[in-house]
Amino acid sequence: VTSRSLKGQTGVTVDEIAKPSFWNDNAGNDVIRHFPASGFYWGGSLYYVGTRGFFWSSSPCSSSYAWGMGFYSSHANSGNGNTRYYGFAVRLFSSGD
């Protein structure tokens, strides 16, 4: 995942961000994170190692669920509440600028 701050910029559209030229120019301050396909741990076993990745955020959404994100071979999702009993990896980003 490549992340680029838009702080102080105005008028940047989704269509502009979707163009390769947006990412090819001025990449010096980009933050790049590699999310391993670490799978998850449940009931004494590991599942989907090498094919899927599941990660916790730092935010609980209830007493037994927390927010997380995952990726698969066809798509990714975020903002899902998952039971804390799953052994997902911890989040790779911190808050701040």
Side-chain angles (χ1 to χ4, degrees):
V1 172
T2 301
S3 175
R4 179 174 298 172
S5 175
L6 298 177
K7 185 175 182 177
Q9 297 183 39
T10 59
V12 179
T13 67
V14 172
D15 289 335
E16 186 177 349
I17 292 171
K19 295 177 184 175
S21 60
F22 176 86
W23 298 100
N24 293 334
D25 299 334
N26 302 313
N29 292 321
D30 285 357
V31 175
I32 299 171
R33 296 290 185 262
H34 298 272
F35 290 87
S38 54
F40 67 89
Y41 182 81
W42 173 260
S45 298
L46 290 169
Y47 296 90
Y48 302 113
V49 174
T51 61
R52 300 178 185 179
F54 301 91
F55 303 89
W56 291 121
S57 76
S58 62
S59 304
C61 55
S62 74
S63 61
S64 58
Y65 284 76
W67 297 112
M69 65 85 68
F71 67 85
Y72 311 84
S73 62
S74 61
H75 68 284
N77 61 31
S78 63
N80 292 328
N82 293 287
T83 177
R84 292 180 177 185
Y85 294 111
Y86 285 125
F88 292 0
V90 295
R91 65 190 174 95
L92 300 178
F93 290 97
S94 65
S95 61
D97 288 337

